Amino acid sequence: QLLGATFPSLVEPLVSERDIFLSLTMKSSMAVNGCRRVVGVVGKGHLRGVLTALNEDHSGKFKKLTWTPSRAAAKEKVLGVPKILFDRLVVDTIVFVVLYELWVTFSPWR
């Protein structure tokens, strides 16, 4: 409550979204392990929000809450290859071709 009164713009990303993320993680753990119960350890500041979030439907929010630019970039693909790897292959190929042409042009063994 003190945080909300002092810095209201921080409450959503630091508290509310964290509560939803923690509840989704607990639900995921239950689903993956086939359990009816799961134990979650949360701080007092998150307890009420997590309990509320556990009883709400937050379908589709896990991706939004875990999205990062680097993760998104790693998932981009070009011709079925991760874009980061594809870009590196293009650069390495260009460097190889240039070096090969220089070697062929100036090689004393020709």
Side-chain angles (χ1 to χ4, degrees):
Q1 291 173 350
L2 179 60
L3 178 68
T6 311
F7 302 104
S9 62
L10 293 179
V11 171
E12 180 66 26
L14 291 181
V15 180
S16 301
E17 287 182 1
R18 183 71 178 156
D19 294 344
I20 293 168
F21 176 79
L22 291 168
S23 72
L24 290 171
T25 304
M26 288 180 204
K27 287 179 180 180
S28 173
S29 179
M30 289 171 55
V32 168
N33 294 311
C35 299
R36 287 184 34 202
R37 294 183 185 172
V38 66
V39 175
V41 179
V42 297
K44 185 178 178 184
H46 288 283
L47 183 60
R48 183 177 297 144
V50 171
L51 289 174
T52 301
L54 281 169
N55 292 316
E56 296 171 347
D57 180 26
H58 295 286
S59 303
K61 284 196 177 178
F62 191 79
K63 267 188 181 176
K64 178 186 170 236
L65 294 173
T66 58
W67 183 91
T68 62
S70 59
R71 236 184 232 171
K75 290 183 179 180
E76 288 182 49
K77 296 194 183 235
V78 176
L79 301 174
V81 177
K83 187 175 181 330
I84 294 170
L85 177 60
F86 182 83
D87 292 346
R88 187 64 209 188
L89 288 170
V90 168
V91 170
D92 289 350
T93 302
I94 292 169
V95 169
F96 171 77
V97 168
V98 169
L99 290 174
Y100 179 76
E101 287 299 321
L102 287 171
W103 181 77
V104 167
T105 304
F106 297 108
S107 174
W109 298 289
R110 274 191 47 119

